[in-house]
Amino acid sequence: MAFVTLLSYGTSVTEILSERPTTTLVITTGEVGSSYGSSSSSSSSSLSSPSGAIAAKSSYPDLFEEVRIVCIVLTYADNRDKATHLKATWGKRCNRLIFISNQDDQDLGAVDIGVEDSHDNLWTKTRQAFSYVYENLLHEGEWFLKADDDTYIVMENLRYLLYGYDAQKPIYFGHKFTYDDNVYMSGGGGYVLSKEALKRFIVDSLNNETLCLKAQPSSEDFEIGKCLTSVGVMPGNSMDPIDYTQRFHPLPLRDYVQPDAMDWLPGWLFNRSLEPIQTGPSCCSEYAISFHYLESKDMYLYDFFLYRMKVHGIEKQLRALPSKISSEIG
């Protein structure tokens, strides 16, 4: 079904579904923080990765400037406090952060796009959000992240994933679901479109009723997945290449890490996830990107453990940047 449409755009489905940048590992004795490099005084040593690759890199380019991401957060006026806490934590690491709401709020950075807030209007709101960004903020990024106001994003790890990919190719990333022979990304776990993917969605798909459902009550993540597929946008592989664990998560971390989590996680997570779900202490990628259904206090908790807390005597292992993918997509 959808795959036939993909092939008509001249792209090999199996190529992009399996394609991911080569990743290597590097150990550095420099301080590990929110930046990507170590100081010139840091020493590094090579380490063989499970794939046999060798890394001996001790510094990185400035990925904040090289992988520019516009963050689009769906919220509403009654959730202003929650949006404020998001802005104070991971939102400040976006190249541009914009809240899509039902009320303008200059201090927060929220824009009223004229859609009444309700769950039934979520697909309408998502369509309008991307249309607004395309018309007003396209020049501010190469990648366009959609998240909810209860989603936490590790922006550095997202840039690390995206570094190997060309934003001029039609691709998007997230936690991959499948339903009714369609592949799409979990809305709650966040998904990110390349600039070319956004252009195809707005220009080629959005107003074509044969390709993209008109605004009406429906699941926004499922519908945008169908719209993107219809114009040859590929669902990229975001699984960790070292241990094949998930990087985007539709649930909070606490739901995955307990040893008995497999017994009580919701059935839809297993039934719809295209790739395997792991639980317990090794449930998630060391370079995890997103978690969903967080309270405001969780935003600060995640921020503390990720960016402030250190464990004396434990050095961090850093992976070298992935290689750029050279094959043609789209």
Side-chain angles (χ1 to χ4, degrees):
M1 295 176 61
F3 287 163
V4 175
T5 304
L6 289 173
L7 289 172
S8 70
Y9 271 75
T11 308
S12 166
V13 174
T14 55
E15 176 187 23
I16 188 56
L17 290 182
S18 62
E19 187 172 30
R20 55 182 179 266
T22 302
T23 302
T24 55
L25 301 177
V26 61
I27 299 177
T28 177
T29 58
E31 180 178 340
V32 178
S34 62
S35 64
Y36 285 83
S38 57
S39 66
S40 58
S41 60
S42 299
S43 61
S44 64
S45 58
S46 297
L47 179 70
S48 296
S49 76
S51 63
I54 301 294
K57 252 179 125 173
S58 61
S59 62
Y60 294 92
D62 182 0
L63 293 195
F64 183 84
E65 294 299 329
E66 185 157 342
V67 185
R68 296 189 305 153
I69 303 173
V70 174
C71 300
I72 308 158
V73 178
L74 303 190
T75 189
Y76 57 98
D78 290 346
N79 261 17
R80 189 183 193 283
D81 285 346
K82 181 179 288 188
T84 299
H85 298 312
L86 185 155
K87 182 178 181 179
T89 54
W90 70 264
K92 63 188 178 184
R93 303 180 187 104
C94 301
N95 294 87
R96 174 64 186 269
L97 171 66
I98 181 170
F99 292 96
I100 302 297
S101 184
N102 59 337
Q103 181 176 303
D104 288 328
D105 188 330
Q106 187 173 357
D107 292 336
L108 180 64
V111 175
D112 178 7
I113 57 171
V115 178
E116 182 181 352
D117 184 72
S118 75
H119 189 269
D120 286 345
N121 287 336
L122 189 54
W123 172 223
T124 304
K125 189 174 184 177
T126 301
R127 289 167 56 104
Q128 293 294 97
F130 278 113
S131 294
Y132 179 89
V133 169
Y134 180 79
E135 293 169 4
N136 297 278
L137 302 177
L138 188 65
H139 63 286
E140 297 205 24
E142 285 74 48
W143 299 90
F144 299 85
L145 167 71
K146 177 268 170 185
D148 295 340
D149 58 13
D150 59 351
T151 305
Y152 187 96
I153 305 291
V154 186
M155 292 299 297
E156 293 86 349
N157 288 352
L158 179 56
R159 290 189 176 95
Y160 176 80
L161 166 66
L162 298 176
Y163 174 80
Y165 295 91
D166 183 355
Q168 300 306 315
K169 302 300 181 182
I171 191 169
Y172 79 127
F173 295 92
H175 181 100
K176 203 175 293 179
F177 279 163
T178 181
Y179 179 74
D180 195 23
D181 294 328
N182 293 280
V183 176
Y184 63 102
M185 305 300 175
S186 163
Y191 50 82
V192 57
L193 280 63
S194 68
K195 180 173 286 189
E196 175 62 20
L198 177 58
K199 287 180 179 178
R200 290 194 184 190
F201 174 54
I202 300 300
V203 176
D204 300 329
S205 175
L206 190 62
N207 295 314
N208 186 331
E209 294 183 34
T210 64
L211 300 179
C212 196
L213 181 71
K214 288 186 65 176
Q216 57 181 279
S218 187
S219 175
E220 57 94 7
D221 49 7
F222 179 70
E223 294 302 337
I224 195 171
K226 290 199 298 183
C227 297
L228 292 172
T229 297
S230 71
V231 289
V233 176
M234 296 297 179
N237 190 335
S238 62
M239 298 295 287
D240 191 305
I242 301 300
D243 57 9
Y244 212 68
T245 48
Q246 298 277 354
R247 289 196 266 200
F248 291 85
H249 301 86
L251 297 172
L253 177 61
R254 63 177 177 269
D255 287 1
Y256 294 90
V257 296
Q258 298 186 55
D260 61 345
M262 189 72 75
D263 298 331
W264 52 269
L265 281 170
W268 57 260
L269 181 65
F270 300 96
N271 295 336
R272 295 202 175 184
S273 293
L274 193 59
E275 283 114 356
I277 302 296
Q278 299 186 35
T279 58
S282 300
C283 64
C284 312
S285 168
E286 293 179 348
Y287 286 70
I289 291 171
S290 73
F291 295 95
H292 188 218
Y293 292 130
L294 271 64
E295 299 179 17
S296 295
K297 60 185 178 182
D298 294 327
M299 300 282 182
Y300 294 101
L301 184 68
Y302 280 45
D303 247 34
F304 175 80
F305 280 109
L306 284 170
Y307 298 100
R308 288 192 56 80
M309 184 173 174
K310 297 179 177 66
V311 180
H312 183 72
I314 296 180
E315 296 177 352
K316 300 290 186 179
Q317 293 185 349
L318 299 180
R319 295 180 191 169
L321 287 172
S323 302
K324 297 281 189 178
I325 288 181
S326 58
S327 61
E328 291 296 317
I329 301 172

